Each structure stands twice: as structure tokens, then as C-alpha cells.
Amino acid sequence: MQPVSLHSLSELERASLQELALYQLQEKLLVGDLSLAKVGPKGSKSIRQKLESFSKEKKDYSPQTFGIPLFQVIANDRAYKQLQETVKSSRRLCLEVEATVTNFRAQMQKRSQLGRSCWMVPCEIFPEEPLSPAFPDHSSSWSQRRGAMSVDSITDLSDNSSKLLEALQLSHPHELDPRRSLGKKKMLSLNPITWQVPRIVDRCCKHIETYGLQTVGIFRVGSSKKRVQQLREEFDHGLDVFLDEHQSVHDVAALLKEFLRDMSDSLIPRELYAAFLSTASMEVPAQLAVLQLLLFVLPPCHSDTLHRLLRFLSKVAQHAKSSWGPDGQEIPGNKMTVSNLATVFGPNILQKEKPGEKDSGAKDFEDSTAIILVVQRLIEHYQTLFMVSPEMQHDILRRLFQTDPDVIDYLLRRKFNTVLSTETEDLTEEHAPTPLSGQALESNSFSSEFYSNISFLNLDIDI
């Protein structure tokens, strides 16, 4: 096996990975028994409770964006998108009906004119025309409009059709509850979870990546409070806000910081605040290993949003220093090094108290230093931190062999096909002059080696 991205795992594998990471963190005594009903201050939830309830959404749609849980922001974005699609569909249906009626009127008018000019011609020579407009049958084609259907378990399909899972759409956020049930049997999707990044975060990052990478002192230079408040209200009212070159980069930067700061649940859950800070005193290899486990524990919406943010901050840091253009002119850097970015975003990502709550004792200097160091490591190594090692993949498959043995065959076949396609692409890029028969032989030997490597799954397991 090869290291794979966390986001390429299926929902079932990802839930198993969360449990494994939490168990290892408890073994290392970095976190307490988070399976208890309550931990910490009165009214706070455990990490396990968060993992079980991160996709429970409000029934009533609200366009609010600021100051609410992250999963609800994503749910609101999705509800707004569905509303837009419904409106577009209604408009399209109205246009189709209007076109049908117009066409019918034109045919009737043509028939009337022909009837007056050729009144002596027998009616039998005219083709029979409908007396009412034929409206499009949307009931029969609606499923085609909606796209592919999704399934939740490999057991729903026959062996011959199991490969169809590869072509199915990704799971949606409303399908992500690890404890949702279908009938009496609880099942998780075998498809990867669709990316869950709030619209405001993605658009702010894209705006700055497009217009602000060379802006000196971004995130440090002041912004217009009035313009930032206006943008904030537009997002809070559910408007489809487009950020283009007319918006100030500093205003958008301030908007992004405000969103992260005002979240009712911190981007990194407060229950893990102490665990993240404890890594600051570790050696780099050990620190990265523990940080990776902590990232695996995060609910998908928090993990995906954090990944998007770290990728963005890494790109900003790459433009910190001045460079030279093709014509020899100097391109000024933005001066925002990884350390500077960690200093600005650290308190917004790692929060000990909720917005508006007063610290029992304000963060001391040691905490502030630890936060900066931890966030700096996250920015510098985000690419490797969100990769799942072969060893961890083996552990996931061992666990699933005990709980869901019927899905192992499909998961292994998918991993094999992914690795094989990667190998094939590499060979194509290198223009390897290997004969077709040799490639097939190499593929077969790789397949045998792959399945021999995973044969350990049948060992040391009580069935």
C-alpha cells in the first residue's frame, strides 16, 4: 500500500480511523476518557459526542453564517444551494412550457392560414395535429436531471455490479451521521465524504490567492470596519456574495479572521486544546505523529475546513519574500512568513474559551508561544499530516474485518485499482518502452504481491 489522502477514504474507513486515532491518543495519555457523557466545564460535550452529532442539523433553514457551529454553516450553505437549484429548475420549466405553448400557437395559426387558402383541398392530406400543447413529461426525466444515485453498502449490490460504486456520486453532508440507520441496521457509505468547507472560507481564500499574495502586511494592516460589516451582513443574510477585484484584500482578510474567531465551536475543538498544546514540547518527529492523530480525530467538517485554511496559509507564506520577475523587476513579498501567520491565526484556530467568555486567567505567555509553535508546524507540514500511512490503513482494514467483513473485498479492490492506475500513469509519463505483454505481466505480479501483502488480514483474528 501507499500513503493516501485522508479525504480519499470512504466514510466507513474515516469513521474507523477516528476511533483508532482516539484510542491511540488515550493510550498515550494525551487525552482523557472522552467516552464519558460530560467532560470539562458544565454543559460542554465530549469529543465522542461531537463525532456522533456533528451532522445533526436544524430542521429550519437559516442563512446565518457567523457565530454558529461549523456544521450548521455548511448545512445552511447547502440549503441555499438547493434553493438556488430549485429556482433555476422552476425557471427552466416555465421557459419550456412557454416555448411549448408558443410552438403550439404557431402551428395552429399556420393550420388556420392553410385552411383559408386551400379550402377546396380535402382535409385528409393534412397531417393530424394535436388540439392541445404537449407539455414535457418531467416526471420521467427528473431522475436523470438529478444525476447519479448513491448507495450505502456493498451488500446492496450483486458481485457483478459492485464495481458500479466507482461511478457513484460522493456522500453529501446530510448523510454523514456515523450513527444514522437504515431500518434496523446501521450502515456507513463506502464512498468518500464530499468536501465540507464553508462558502465564506473558500471564497475568502480564493480572493486572496487571486488578488492578495503580493499585498504587503496582509492580515496585519487595518481594514475598513464598515465594509467588513457590510460583507458580514451579506453572508449572514444568505446572499450569494462574489468577491472580486473591487473588494479590498485587507477587508476580505479581516472577514476571514472574524469568521474563525466568532465560531461557536472552535475550528479545533476546545476539548483538544490541551492535547494540541502539549505537543509543543515534543521533538519534531514525535510532535508530527501526535498532531496527525489529533487531526484524524476531528469531525470531517472541521478537518476539511482546517485543511483548506492551512493550504491557503502555506501558499501565502510562499510569497513572503521578494522575488524577481521575467523582466528583472522586483516583485515585493507580502512579509507574512509562517511564523507571522501562526501568530495571527493561532488564537483564532486554537481557542480555550468560547467567544464572549472571560478567561479565568488570560492566556499566559507560555500558552501563546505554544499556540504559535503548534500552528506553525501545522502550516509547514499540512500535506503530510493529512496523509494516512500504509500501517494505519492496515489497522483500519483489520478493524473493519471484524465489524464489516462484507466490505473488505470492495475496499481492497478499490485500493488496488487506485495504486495500479497511479503506477500506469507513472509509466506513461516516463514513456517506458515496455511491451504490452510485459506490462500485463508486471501488472499481474503487482496484483499477486498486493494481495499477498494484505493476506495478514485473515491472521490473528477470531472469527
Side-chain angles (χ1 to χ4, degrees):
M1 290 188 185
Q2 300 294 327
V4 298
S5 169
L6 170 64
H7 307 94
S8 68
L9 298 182
S10 68
E11 181 186 6
L12 183 63
E13 293 173 290
R14 202 158 170 177
S16 180
L17 177 61
Q18 286 177 328
E19 295 288 344
L20 288 170
L22 182 59
Y23 174 77
Q24 292 186 23
L25 289 170
Q26 290 172 338
E27 286 290 302
K28 297 176 184 292
L29 301 179
L30 290 172
V31 296
D33 185 5
L34 297 179
S35 62
L36 298 176
K38 299 290 182 181
V39 294
K42 182 179 179 180
S44 64
K45 291 184 177 181
S46 68
I47 293 297
R48 189 179 297 274
Q49 285 178 306
K50 284 182 177 293
L51 295 180
E52 294 178 355
S53 64
F54 67 85
S55 64
K56 293 180 180 178
E57 305 165 1
K58 299 178 183 177
K59 294 182 180 180
D60 298 330
Y61 165 68
S62 168
Q64 187 176 355
T65 299
F66 286 81
I68 60 176
L70 182 61
F71 73 84
Q72 191 60 52
V73 178
I74 296 172
N76 292 346
D77 288 346
R78 187 179 66 256
Y80 177 79
K81 183 177 181 180
Q82 291 175 346
L83 180 61
Q84 279 187 319
E85 292 176 352
T86 302
V87 172
K88 290 180 181 178
S89 177
S90 299
R91 290 176 178 173
R92 184 167 57 247
L93 178 59
C94 291
L95 291 175
E96 290 176 355
V97 171
E98 182 181 356
T100 301
V101 173
T102 302
N103 184 46
F104 174 74
R105 287 178 176 174
Q107 291 177 356
M108 294 300 295
Q109 184 178 6
K110 181 179 179 181
R111 181 178 181 182
S112 176
Q113 292 174 353
L114 288 174
R116 288 195 300 267
S117 61
C118 304
W119 59 271
M120 296 188 64
V121 180
C123 296
E124 287 77 6
I125 69 171
F126 291 104
E128 184 177 354
E129 303 225 2
L131 298 179
S132 61
F135 296 107
D137 183 8
H138 294 276
S139 60
S140 61
S141 61
W142 185 250
S143 60
Q144 298 176 358
R145 289 173 178 267
R146 292 177 61 85
M149 51 181 285
S150 62
V151 298
D152 290 320
S153 173
I154 189 68
T155 57
D156 294 338
L157 299 177
S158 64
D159 294 337
N160 294 332
S161 60
S162 61
K163 292 184 179 180
L164 292 176
L165 283 172
E166 298 288 353
L168 297 177
Q169 66 184 20
L170 302 181
S171 302
H172 291 284
H174 68 279
E175 298 173 339
L176 302 182
D177 187 357
R179 295 298 182 263
R180 75 176 190 276
S181 60
L182 182 62
K184 294 183 178 180
K185 187 177 180 181
K186 298 175 181 178
M187 294 180 292
L188 296 175
S189 174
L190 295 178
N191 298 320
I193 301 173
T194 189
W195 279 84
Q196 299 181 69
V197 179
R199 180 168 49 107
I200 185 174
V201 172
D202 192 51
R203 291 193 176 179
C204 286
C205 291
K206 285 182 178 178
H207 179 272
I208 297 173
E209 288 170 347
T210 304
Y211 304 105
L213 291 180
Q214 273 77 41
T215 302
V216 179
I218 188 174
F219 300 115
R220 286 186 177 274
V221 176
S223 59
S224 168
K225 293 183 178 180
K226 182 178 180 180
R227 291 195 300 265
V228 173
Q229 182 63 28
Q230 181 179 356
L231 289 173
R232 177 171 178 148
E233 291 176 356
E234 290 176 355
F235 275 104
D236 253 347
H237 284 85
L239 301 180
D240 199 6
V241 184
F242 290 97
L243 302 175
D244 52 27
E245 67 274 9
H246 297 99
Q247 273 81 29
S248 166
V249 172
H250 298 295
D251 293 344
V252 176
L255 184 71
L256 177 60
K257 289 191 295 182
E258 283 192 15
F259 172 78
L260 297 172
R261 181 196 65 199
D262 295 347
M263 286 173 54
S264 62
D265 55 338
S266 177
L267 186 54
I268 294 178
R270 293 177 178 84
E271 289 81 1
L272 294 177
Y273 174 84
F276 269 90
L277 258 63
S278 67
T279 66
S281 58
M282 300 179 181
E283 295 294 331
V284 175
Q287 181 188 25
L288 295 179
V290 174
L291 285 176
Q292 187 176 54
L293 291 175
L294 290 170
L295 293 177
F296 289 163
V297 171
L298 298 180
C301 55
H302 288 255
S303 174
D304 293 353
T305 304
L306 181 60
H307 182 276
R308 178 66 178 98
L309 179 65
L310 294 175
R311 177 161 60 92
F312 159 69
L313 295 179
S314 176
K315 192 170 185 178
V316 172
Q318 292 172 7
H319 293 77
K321 296 182 179 179
S322 300
S323 59
W324 299 94
D327 298 333
Q329 75 266 16
E330 182 179 5
I331 302 175
N334 56 45
K335 311 299 182 184
M336 295 304 296
T337 62
V338 173
S339 178
N340 289 337
L341 291 171
T343 303
V344 173
F345 279 89
N348 295 321
I349 296 176
L350 277 167
Q351 299 180 20
K352 190 175 183 179
E353 303 292 337
K354 292 184 179 181
E357 291 183 354
K358 294 183 178 179
D359 248 334
S360 53
K363 289 191 187 108
D364 54 22
F365 177 76
E366 291 183 1
D367 268 17
S368 299
T369 304
I371 289 174
I372 294 172
L373 180 59
V374 169
V375 175
Q376 184 172 339
R377 289 286 183 269
L378 291 176
I379 298 174
E380 292 172 339
H381 301 278
Y382 84 93
Q383 290 178 310
T384 56
L385 289 175
F386 284 90
M387 298 293 290
V388 184
S389 67
E391 293 76 18
M392 186 63 79
Q393 294 179 64
H394 290 161
D395 292 339
I396 293 172
L397 293 174
R398 283 197 187 99
R399 184 182 183 89
L400 292 179
F401 190 85
Q402 293 177 321
T403 59
D404 299 89
D406 54 333
V407 305
I408 293 296
D409 181 67
Y410 166 71
L411 293 177
L412 289 176
R413 183 166 59 247
R414 188 178 67 181
K415 290 180 183 295
F416 166 70
N417 290 336
T418 301
V419 175
L420 185 61
S421 63
T422 302
E423 295 287 339
T424 304
E425 290 176 1
D426 292 341
L427 288 174
T428 303
E429 291 177 358
E430 295 175 2
H431 303 284
T434 307
L436 181 60
S437 58
Q439 291 182 5
L441 179 62
E442 182 179 356
S443 174
N444 292 333
S445 64
F446 175 80
S447 176
S448 302
E449 180 183 356
F450 178 83
Y451 277 97
S452 65
N453 288 337
I454 57 87
S455 61
F456 70 90
L457 289 172
N458 296 320
L459 304 177
D460 302 328
I461 295 180
D462 297 329
I463 302 179

